[in-house]
Amino acid sequence: MALILGLETSCDETAAAIVSDGRRILANVVASQVELHRQYGGVFPEMASRQHVLDIVPVIRETLSRAGMDWSALDAIAVTSGPGLVGSLLVGVNVAKGIAWAKGLPLIGVNHLEAHLYANWLDCAAGNGSLAAAPVPPLICLIVSGGHTALVLMTDYGQYAILGQTLDDAAGEAFDKVARLLGLGYPGGPAIQAAAEQGDPEAFDLPRAILHEGYDFSFSGLKTAVLRLMQQYKGPASAEQRPEQAPEAPALPVADIAASFQAAVVDVLVVKTKRAAEQFRVREVLLAGGVASNRLLRQRVRTEIDLPVRFPPPVYCTDNAAMVAAAGHFKYISGDYDGWELDVQPRLPLPGQVG
Ligand code: KG4
Ligand code: ZN
């Protein structure tokens, strides 16, 4: 049995977890900075790194204590080294190096996107005795987060071909921007999902960019279409965002816009994922990243894709360190360790990229 301590500080969550054999979660602690960044409507990078410095040691101590372990039980330490915010990544990587040096543990740098994908290997019903079967490549994985949107063909462990990516905004970024326009607050994904539940997804016909061509995505036109639509209505977004608003304009149909927007994003994600799964004859489809916790997306991939579909529970879709420990485990068993020269790589692409 290999016990890996995972650390994650690439954006605005300070997280640590202990996972055995890449699958069983023994402890998982996440200190979220959402409240801190809410007043800015998004992540404020300088404040994020300062908060990581304050939180990282207490979060690691809490993780060891919840797992009922001390350092001597650990086999390796895995840490997100990129992509992400440089100042945030630096905190995790330097703490990981310090621990690895002091405790004589192997140090393993993990790619954040690969970690999101490996959240699908975690046994989220920990403690029930038996493990569900792990995903078996070839797989199609849709990685949809606040910073990334990628449709990936995983042919083997560590071997990925990127079939398509976003040409502009990431899916989660589109949710966050539209939520801000609608005055729904931050983070936008859960707020849009909640508002959409009271709305009609067919109320407005919003664009589905490059729906039938290739595997790339584009969400910035959708955001502009929402902005144009809003100009016919009044409140709650600022007048500056809707300069042409007529004084006698009717009230903004927030729920209908949220539902129509969510339907447009999910439509594109589902259509392309389904097409890729059929073209590459994979065994399974995986969803990963914060947007993978979206209820409509989860429900539509399950009903419309004729293959086994997996996605982690919402807490393991958004940033966490259990997924980092899981991805680190597969590098650990192949002896793929890093040296003291391990550095942060804010723009790190997926490893083993063939496409
Ligand atoms: O994976 P993640 O925690 O961080 C990044 O690596 O970016 O993803 C955060 C993103 C945010 O944009 C958030 O609005 C979105 O995931 N998100 C959702 C939902 N929950 C979180 N988007 C749509 N529906 C949700 N339920
Ligand atoms: Zn992430």
Side-chain angles (χ1 to χ4, degrees), residues 80-295:
T80 303
S81 56
L85 300 170
V86 62
S88 291
L89 290 164
L90 273 166
V91 178
V93 167
N94 283 306
V95 167
K97 281 184 182 176
I99 296 172
W101 175 265
K103 306 295 175 190
L105 292 170
L107 173 69
I108 299 168
V110 166
N111 181 301
H112 184 79
L113 298 177
E114 202 177 10
H116 270 302
L117 203 154
Y118 278 99
N120 284 289
W121 270 253
L122 293 169
D123 180 39
C124 295
N128 69 354
S130 62
L131 276 175
V136 181
L139 303 156
I140 285 291
C141 186
L142 175 70
I143 306 177
V144 269
S145 71
H148 301 270
T149 301
L151 198 54
V152 176
L153 171 65
M154 178 180 184
T155 48
D156 204 345
Y157 283 81
Q159 287 302 312
Y160 313 98
I162 306 222
L163 306 175
Q165 312 194 55
T166 182
L167 303 174
D168 37 60
D169 294 346
E173 193 180 353
F175 270 94
D176 293 337
K177 285 181 176 171
V178 167
R180 197 171 172 173
L181 289 175
L182 292 173
L184 290 173
Y186 169 83
I192 297 244
Q193 175 175 292
E197 255 144 49
Q198 317 303 321
D200 173 6
E202 289 175 9
F204 303 103
D205 187 16
L206 293 170
R208 272 93 167 136
I210 50 175
L211 182 63
H212 298 295
E213 284 161 50
Y215 293 116
D216 282 334
F217 301 90
S218 166
F219 295 111
S220 70
L222 178 55
K223 177 195 63 199
T224 312
V226 169
L227 185 57
R228 290 244 168 76
L229 175 63
M230 288 175 61
Q231 285 165 355
Q232 306 161 27
Y233 301 95
K234 49 171 170 244
S238 73
E240 163 215 358
Q241 287 164 328
R242 296 176 293 106
E244 291 149 38
Q245 183 193 309
E248 70 285 4
L252 188 67
V254 173
D256 283 348
I257 298 180
S260 304
F261 163 79
Q262 178 177 255
V265 175
V266 168
D267 227 14
V268 183
L269 297 176
V270 173
V271 165
K272 297 204 179 213
T273 306
K274 179 175 163 69
R275 180 147 44 83
E278 286 164 2
Q279 181 181 345
F280 294 95
R281 299 168 180 278
V282 294
R283 302 166 67 126
E284 263 185 72
V285 171
L286 312 181
L287 303 185
V291 182
S293 47
N294 184 269
R295 265 199 293 277

Side-chain angles (χ1 to χ4, degrees), residues 11-12 33 37 43-52 85 88:
C11 189
D12 61 342
Q33 300 180 7
H37 300 289
V43 178
F44 189 144
E46 178 62 27
M47 295 196 57
S49 32
R50 284 165 191 259
Q51 197 61 39
H52 286 308
L85 300 170
S88 291

